[in-house]
Amino acid sequence: MEQARLIWAAGLGLAYAGVCVAAWRQWRRSRQAATVAAPLLVAYAGQSGHAEAVAQQTVATLQAAGLQVQCLSLAQLDIAALQQASRLLLVASTAGEGEPPDMARRFAANLASPAALAGLQYAVLALGDSRYAQFCAFGRALDSWLADSGAQPLYPRIDVDALDEAALAAWQHQLAELAGLQDTALAAQPLLPVPGPFGQWQLVERHCLNEGSCGAATYHLALRPADGGTLPSWQSGDLVEVQVPAEPGRPREYSIASIPADGSLQLLVRVRVGEQGQVGLASQHLTQMLALGEPLSLRIRPHRRFRLADNATRPLILIGNGTGLAGLRSHLRARQQLAAPQPGWLLFGERQSRHDFYYRHELQALQQQGVLQHVDTAFSRDQPQRRYVQHVLAEQADRLQQWVADGAAIYVCGSLAGMASGVDAVLRQVLGEAVLDELAAEGRYCRDVY
């Protein structure tokens, strides 16, 4: 009798153990399935489109290997989303002297204190330019913050100097390891779109816009394809890369000041003079050495963060100084093509009204046509006390608030030092930090600054 009870108890114990083992195995399989199914998060933050392009190609590479991947801009990301993620690949550019890109301003506020991210693994690709003192500063700040928040690095951070191919190849190696692929499988998949070839154009028009100015000479240039063919397509806000003979392999970027409907690709170029009096090679070639009809190598580069896109039907606040008027002019030319454009407000700054009011008559005509509702100017040398475009903006604080409340988008083009930083400070003071960061995240605060 006692023996039977012992046998029954042992059988019951074995059955219970079997149930426990089966349950453990089922739990383990579910955890493994969850790990496989959990999407890998790829996030990006950039100003010119390079970070987004690298992120999109990163996603394509991982998806081709069968991984589930979610891609977001840093404007769409918050702490809660990071706490739900298991793995993060972050591609981040640095703007200006160590600043976050405009789209990442709101997220950057999180970097003031660590978050609880102990369950997150991450890798950072930091894009920058070593010519700036704060090289890759934003990417480095994100890396430090993630580590301080308890996240674990999948790989060491990679700093990329001016889109250096070797550094991008190192990132591809990491992707191959994550995806279980051979490096050779990724060799034919560049992380950045291969730019189109430089085409041959010829100068068809050039004239100085500021004769007698106390500043450097500024020229209007018009170019057409050298073969006489039709103009390629581009959008207002896009750039050109110009290759001059004196600097092979170092193309210079210029904002396009026209749209294809104008019949030529137009530029606004100031002669660049250094501190020691040396003239910039690119600006010298374009404004002095290049003869009419002579060929010039250039290619068009899309600048998606400065295009009108969803802002095409919004009121526009256009703010710029000097040759920054080029990018704003292209937007005005595009708006002029619309049957009933939303109102525009231009704030422009230069040295002397008499000499440096580029395209004065054209802008006055746009105002008469209703494309521009307001044109406010600041000419710094026209009075003893220096007056700049940010001062005019501050004086128009009530109008600024009203236009933004009415849905306006803000475009800033020109020098980073002085103008763009000063304008940014006024915008933050008048609109508030949170509002401006929200506008940037929505694509309603766009900057093309240099």
Side-chain angles (χ1 to χ4, degrees):
M1 194 71 166
E2 184 67 25
Q3 185 178 11
R5 280 199 296 268
L6 289 174
I7 293 172
W8 178 82
L12 183 63
L14 288 171
Y16 177 73
V19 170
C20 291
V21 169
W24 176 81
R25 286 175 175 169
Q26 178 64 32
W27 173 85
R28 185 179 180 186
R29 281 194 297 269
S30 67
R31 290 288 295 171
Q32 289 174 335
T35 301
V36 171
L40 192 155
L41 182 59
V42 175
Y44 64 89
Q47 197 78 8
S48 65
H50 289 140
E52 181 177 2
V54 172
Q56 294 290 353
Q57 186 55 52
T58 295
V59 169
T61 297
L62 297 173
Q63 287 179 335
L67 275 69
Q68 294 190 40
V69 187
Q70 182 182 16
C71 187
L72 298 172
S73 73
L74 219 54
Q76 300 169 294
L77 201 59
D78 56 21
I79 301 299
L82 288 178
Q83 290 173 333
Q84 294 298 315
S86 59
R87 290 181 295 175
L88 168 70
L89 300 182
L90 185 54
V91 184
S93 295
T94 296
E97 284 293 353
E99 299 175 9
D102 293 333
M103 66 162 61
R105 290 288 188 93
R106 183 175 58 187
F107 185 90
N110 295 312
L111 274 58
S113 59
L117 301 175
L120 181 67
Q121 294 180 303
Y122 73 95
V124 175
L125 183 72
L127 306 183
D129 189 329
S130 60
R131 290 178 298 179
Y132 291 91
Q134 303 299 320
F135 173 57
C136 286
F138 184 56
R140 293 179 178 184
L142 287 168
D143 183 36
S144 297
W145 175 77
L146 287 165
D148 292 342
S149 298
Q152 299 298 313
L154 285 163
Y155 304 100
R157 184 191 70 246
I158 297 175
D159 294 342
V160 184
D161 184 10
L163 302 178
D164 174 64
E165 292 183 3
L168 292 175
W171 181 256
Q172 282 186 307
H173 174 76
Q174 293 180 0
L175 296 182
E177 190 169 292
L178 277 174
L181 300 173
Q182 296 293 323
D183 280 356
T184 53
L186 302 180
Q189 302 178 31
L191 282 173
L192 282 170
V194 177
F198 282 91
Q200 292 298 302
W201 293 63
Q202 62 181 4
L203 182 67
V204 297
E205 179 187 349
R206 179 177 60 209
H207 57 269
C208 182
L209 297 180
N210 62 343
E211 293 284 355
S213 172
C214 64
T218 302
Y219 290 81
H220 168 90
L221 286 73
L223 303 112
R224 288 194 54 84
D227 62 4
T230 59
L231 286 174
S233 177
W234 71 84
Q235 293 187 32
S236 63
D238 284 348
L239 308 169
V240 292
E241 294 180 348
V242 176
Q243 183 73 68
V244 300
E247 293 185 296
R250 294 189 60 192
R252 296 300 178 90
E253 288 187 341
Y254 294 91
S255 300
I256 302 177
S258 61
I259 58 175
D262 292 320
S264 63
L265 190 153
Q266 299 170 20
L267 304 177
L268 185 60
V269 181
R270 187 196 305 276
V271 176
R272 185 177 179 276
V273 181
E275 294 181 358
Q276 306 301 320
Q278 72 277 21
V279 178
L281 295 176
S283 65
Q284 182 182 44
H285 183 80
L286 290 172
T287 62
Q288 300 172 23
M289 300 177 66
L290 184 67
L292 288 176
E294 189 175 347
L296 175 71
S297 294
L298 68 79
R299 65 186 174 199
I300 296 169
R301 186 170 79 78
H303 192 188
R304 291 179 177 82
R305 288 288 300 173
F306 202 69
R307 287 177 169 178
L308 289 180
D310 294 339
N311 297 324
T313 55
R314 291 182 180 275
L316 292 184
I317 303 172
L318 306 173
I319 307 171
N321 72 329
T323 57
L325 185 58
L328 306 180
R329 180 179 184 251
S330 70
H331 287 325
L332 289 171
R333 306 292 277 185
R335 293 298 281 264
Q336 196 176 16
Q337 305 297 307
L338 301 178
Q342 289 290 313
W345 173 17
L346 174 68
L347 299 98
F348 172 65
E350 247 293 356
R351 287 177 173 81
Q352 299 167 283
S353 174
R354 181 180 178 183
H355 303 291
D356 302 307
F357 197 165
Y358 312 136
Y359 307 116
R360 179 199 301 263
H361 299 301
E362 179 181 307
L363 295 173
Q364 290 172 343
L366 289 172
Q367 196 168 8
Q368 292 171 357
Q369 296 167 16
V371 176
L372 281 171
Q373 193 171 96
H374 304 285
V375 176
D376 291 320
T377 56
F379 294 99
S380 59
R381 306 306 197 267
D382 280 0
Q383 60 281 313
Q385 186 175 3
R386 295 290 185 257
R387 176 175 167 81
Y388 299 106
V389 70
Q390 55 265 37
H391 299 143
V392 177
L393 184 64
E395 293 165 2
Q396 298 292 340
D398 291 343
R399 184 194 296 168
L400 171 62
Q401 291 176 326
Q402 187 59 57
W403 275 57
V404 171
D406 291 341
I410 304 169
Y411 284 76
V412 181
C413 192
S415 60
L416 174 62
M419 188 279 294
S421 57
V423 165
D424 188 79
V426 171
L427 292 172
R428 292 184 182 280
Q429 180 181 359
V430 174
L431 302 176
E433 295 273 350
V435 171
L436 192 64
D437 290 344
E438 184 67 26
L439 292 176
E442 293 175 2
R444 287 175 57 194
Y445 177 37
C446 308
R447 300 196 300 171
D448 177 11
V449 297
Y450 40 84

